[in-house]
Amino acid sequence: MTEKSSNAMWGGRFAAGPDAIMEAINASIGFDRRLAAQDIQGSRAHAAMLAATGIVDSRDVEAIREGLLKILSEIEAGTFAFSTALEDIHMNVEARLTDLIGPAAGRLHTARSRNDQVATDFKLWVRDQIDAAIAGLQALTGALLTQAEAGADWVMPGFTHLQTAQPVTWGHHMMAYVEMFGRDTGRFRDARARMNECPLGAAALAGTSFPIDRHMTAAALGFDRPSANSLDAVSDRDFALEFLAAASITAVHLSRLAEELVIWSSAQFRFVALSDRFSTGSSIMPQKKNPDAAELLRAKIGRILGAMVALFTVMKGLPLAYSKDMQEDKEQVFDAADTLILSLAAMTGMVADMTANRDALARAAGSGFSTATDLADWLVRAANLPFREAHHATGALVKLAEGRGVDLPDLTLADMQAVHPAITEDVFSVLGVDNSVRSRTSYGGTAPDQVRAQVARWRKVQG
């Protein structure tokens, strides 16, 4: 097969032949330009260390550091000319630095490699995203706390299997998500603490013979310490995997809350009204108000979890140290981080803007014999029945009420005593939904006082 016919197989996209194909598959500048600020930050710290240790003349280092600031300003202004031929952000910056200051630019790469350089850049970027995720989670938690405090004593149905189970309070339900997102915040903080070791100075894989000060560069870049093994430093992407794992669990929680908002805002429930800012209409049905933001959030887990699976697949079979496969570590993380931060902001907006329908919540709270467990508990406490006997008697009363088309509080005392003679007038004190939620005073229970105590605890945690 001739080169001409081979090129025809690829179509016009690679008309220049194998060289163009290799350039296209090898270059990462199309996406790793997002690391520009971190790349320049790392290079400035490295240059300062080279001057402090006497490895590079301080005048050259000053020119390097000023040139890097000039490049950063060009990138931020959108005037920097990125080149695919230069492969990646590191070589693009170095080439431009050479244009600006001449041969002194070549001294910047003393005692480092693109291997430890990209590991440092990527860590700095992921660390920034972790900080943004924590800030987003704190904002969302604040919105949930406001909802919980306002509805600490509003009754609503608690569900299992999406069937009415027992009455709870709106505040209690909101606080369940506060706990979930609190754990998510903890996971991100744990990941940040574990990843906060600086790879810079590991060089290609074996360290360097230059008398560098790795503690100096680590401190300059906000790391707790330099990484302790040069092989591990350049081949590790655990920090990105941990970020994606924490992001995936957070996205699951966002998706679960989004699902409830979709259900609750439907005409069949009317538990909440979402604001117009996070809803859309129908092109043909004028009565519709669709919870599109919640539906989109419900789907975002696919992108984030997919990114995690993709990076695990990239890393699972790589021998130490660096392999070109690891160039495939960034695009998924970039997309997952963008998706997560946007999702947190959207959910915070929805929660802050939504209005709970207290009357609809209360009506639903009393449906489905939701206080049956309270009746069984009363029989245990007041009549000293074994719980299994109390459970059986309550089931019989539910069947009686269901057959009459009424709820448990609508049965007469005589009706109840016909099922079990130990029942007294006092039983009606536990059958109302308000009485039910007030009685759940165990730590972490749904009683309004417990909800308010948890809100206060979380506000203190939030600072």
Side-chain angles (χ1 to χ4, degrees):
M1 182 179 292
T2 66
E3 182 176 327
K4 182 175 180 181
S5 61
S6 176
N7 290 344
M9 289 175 63
W10 300 105
R13 178 68 181 83
F14 296 110
D19 288 347
I21 297 170
M22 184 58 195
E23 180 178 295
I25 197 172
N26 189 55
S28 60
I29 190 61
F31 53 84
D32 72 10
R33 66 179 64 186
R34 291 188 66 167
L35 301 176
Q38 289 78 17
D39 191 70
I40 290 170
Q41 181 186 5
S43 289
R44 280 174 57 81
H46 183 67
M49 180 275 297
L50 292 175
T53 54
I55 297 171
V56 175
D57 184 88
S58 59
R59 288 170 297 183
D60 286 342
V61 166
E62 185 58 29
I64 288 169
R65 298 185 78 202
E66 290 300 318
L68 289 170
L69 283 180
K70 170 69 173 172
I71 293 169
L72 181 60
S73 68
E74 291 176 351
I75 292 172
E76 290 175 344
T79 60
F80 187 91
F82 292 100
S83 169
T84 304
L86 292 170
E87 293 185 12
D88 56 32
I89 186 60
H90 323 300
M91 298 308 296
N92 270 264
V93 169
E94 187 172 323
R96 178 59 178 149
L97 187 61
T98 302
D99 291 341
L100 290 173
I101 69 170
R107 299 190 184 280
L108 174 59
H109 212 52
T110 306
R112 75 173 184 186
S113 162
R114 278 194 291 179
N115 293 355
D116 62 335
Q117 188 178 357
V118 69
T120 302
D121 293 356
F122 198 22
K123 258 196 182 183
L124 289 170
W125 192 90
V126 171
R127 193 176 69 184
D128 289 344
Q129 302 313 301
I130 287 176
D131 291 343
I134 290 171
L137 282 162
Q138 288 176 329
L140 175 53
T141 299
L144 287 163
L145 287 171
T146 298
Q147 287 282 352
E149 196 164 34
D153 58 357
W154 299 358
V155 291
M156 67 174 289
F159 298 98
T160 61
H161 309 279
L162 203 54
Q163 306 294 314
T164 299
Q166 293 175 267
V168 296
T169 57
W170 171 257
H172 193 57
H173 202 113
M174 294 297 99
M175 290 304 294
Y177 284 104
V178 169
E179 293 291 331
M180 291 184 203
F181 293 123
R183 291 192 296 275
D184 293 327
T185 302
R187 271 183 281 271
F188 281 116
R189 285 182 172 144
D190 289 347
R192 193 190 196 284
R194 200 164 14 257
M195 70 172 281
N196 211 31
E197 297 181 341
C198 184
L200 200 58
L205 74 162
T208 178
S209 58
F210 289 97
I212 61 173
D213 185 347
R214 293 191 64 207
H215 289 85
M216 178 181 173
T217 48
L221 294 171
F223 289 105
D224 295 329
R225 65 192 70 85
S227 52
N229 184 284
S230 58
L231 277 169
D232 177 56
V234 298
S235 59
D236 166 50
R237 292 299 182 268
D238 289 0
F239 62 91
L241 290 169
E242 276 202 83
F243 170 75
L244 292 174
S248 294
I249 298 173
T250 301
V252 167
H253 294 154
L254 289 169
S255 182
R256 294 183 73 178
L257 178 51
E259 167 72 356
E260 296 211 300
L261 295 182
V262 170
I263 293 171
W264 290 350
S265 62
S266 68
Q268 289 71 29
F269 276 74
R270 298 189 186 278
F271 283 3
V272 301
L274 299 177
S275 76
D276 292 347
R277 294 200 309 150
F278 295 97
S279 306
T280 65
S282 166
S283 63
I284 191 172
M285 295 169 284
Q287 84 281 9
K288 293 290 293 297
K289 183 177 179 181
N290 299 323
D292 282 8
E295 291 172 351
L296 288 165
L297 275 179
R298 193 170 53 183
K300 293 298 186 185
I301 175 61
R303 295 175 73 121
I304 297 173
L305 181 61
M308 185 180 74
V309 172
L311 186 53
F312 266 102
T313 305
V314 167
M315 297 302 299
K316 72 173 182 63
L318 297 186
L320 299 181
Y322 182 84
S323 297
K324 194 69 171 180
D325 311 50
M326 292 165 71
Q327 185 168 293
E328 293 295 311
D329 62 357
K330 295 174 193 67
E331 286 180 280
Q332 302 98 321
V333 179
F334 291 162
D335 182 74
D338 291 345
T339 301
L340 176 67
I341 303 307
L342 176 60
S343 298
L344 287 168
M347 183 59 82
T348 300
M350 276 193 292
V351 170
D353 284 2
M354 73 181 178
T355 303
N357 184 340
R358 186 175 182 179
D359 291 339
L361 291 169
R363 284 194 299 271
S367 66
F369 308 104
S370 64
T371 57
T373 305
D374 297 278
L375 174 56
D377 288 346
W378 181 90
L379 285 167
V380 171
R381 287 194 312 271
N384 200 30
L385 267 62
F387 183 78
R388 285 302 167 201
E389 184 180 345
H391 187 283
H392 180 77
T394 301
L397 287 168
V398 167
K399 184 177 181 181
L400 176 63
E402 190 174 35
R404 295 185 180 180
V406 299
D407 203 353
L408 286 173
D410 301 317
L411 294 174
T412 66
L413 179 59
D415 291 332
M416 294 189 183
Q417 289 177 333
V419 171
H420 202 291
I423 297 176
T424 68
E425 186 76 29
D426 184 57
V427 72
F428 291 99
S429 67
V430 303
L431 291 181
V433 291
D434 290 296
N435 292 332
S436 173
V437 297
R438 279 197 296 269
S439 72
R440 306 290 172 180
T441 56
S442 58
Y443 182 82
T446 193
D449 286 346
Q450 281 293 321
V451 172
R452 293 187 182 101
Q454 293 298 333
V455 169
R457 178 177 71 86
W458 271 102
R459 289 211 185 278
K460 186 175 180 180
V461 169
Q462 290 278 89

